[in-house]
Amino acid sequence: MTAYASRIGRDPEAMYRQIDLAGRTATADAHGLVELMYDELIRALGAVASAVRAGNHAIKSEKIARAVAILFALEAGLDFDRGGDVARTLAGLYRAARKEILDASLGRDPEPFLEVANNLREIAGAWRQLKSA
């Protein structure tokens, strides 16, 4: 019990996000899971930009790894048979985003991360519109 309490004490906001995400993924359909991945990806890129500004290399590395992993997961989930050109286009966008993130990871400019996040925010918005249509 003490170990659990000490983990919460270190970063209660992160613990809350993990619990919230676990709850949302447990009840989400496939479309909802992709939506959650976009949200987490955009949040991670924002955190990278903040970490770059603050000079926090540990958080920068952690959030870059998270963003890249999410991009791999999004690409792995594409159905090229049913998705056709849309799936191929998304795969290319995900690869380009990964490259931009990794290239920017060598520098100290937060803007490339924010640009990638903004581009992905547009794709996430289109994804949300698909669900409501």
Side-chain angles (χ1 to χ4, degrees):
M1 185 65 136
T2 306
Y4 178 75
S6 66
R7 274 187 268 145
I8 290 175
R10 275 190 251 150
D11 191 353
E13 183 181 345
M15 182 63 76
Y16 172 78
R17 278 195 314 270
Q18 284 181 333
I19 292 168
D20 178 54
L21 184 60
R24 290 189 297 157
T25 56
T27 60
D29 60 356
H31 192 96
L33 289 174
V34 171
E35 192 173 320
L36 288 173
M37 288 178 22
Y38 279 129
D39 291 345
E40 285 299 308
L41 174 56
I42 293 164
R43 185 176 293 116
L45 290 169
V48 171
S50 294
V52 169
R53 284 190 206 102
N56 188 331
H57 302 295
I59 296 295
K60 175 185 172 187
S61 295
E62 176 189 330
K63 298 303 179 180
I64 286 172
R66 182 166 181 81
V68 169
I70 293 169
L71 285 164
F72 273 118
L74 285 166
E75 186 175 356
L78 293 171
D79 184 340
F80 292 97
D81 293 331
R82 292 176 43 205
D85 289 339
V86 172
R88 283 187 286 284
T89 300
L90 285 172
L93 289 169
Y94 297 151
R95 282 191 295 272
R98 281 195 311 269
K99 182 179 181 339
E100 287 181 49
I101 291 167
L102 293 174
D103 289 348
S105 72
L106 301 174
R108 295 183 179 164
D109 183 5
E111 288 306 311
F113 302 107
L114 296 174
E115 279 182 38
V116 172
N118 284 333
N119 292 338
L120 291 166
R121 195 171 283 114
E122 287 182 40
I123 296 168
W127 185 258
R128 282 185 185 88
Q129 287 179 348
L130 273 173
K131 187 173 187 176
S132 64

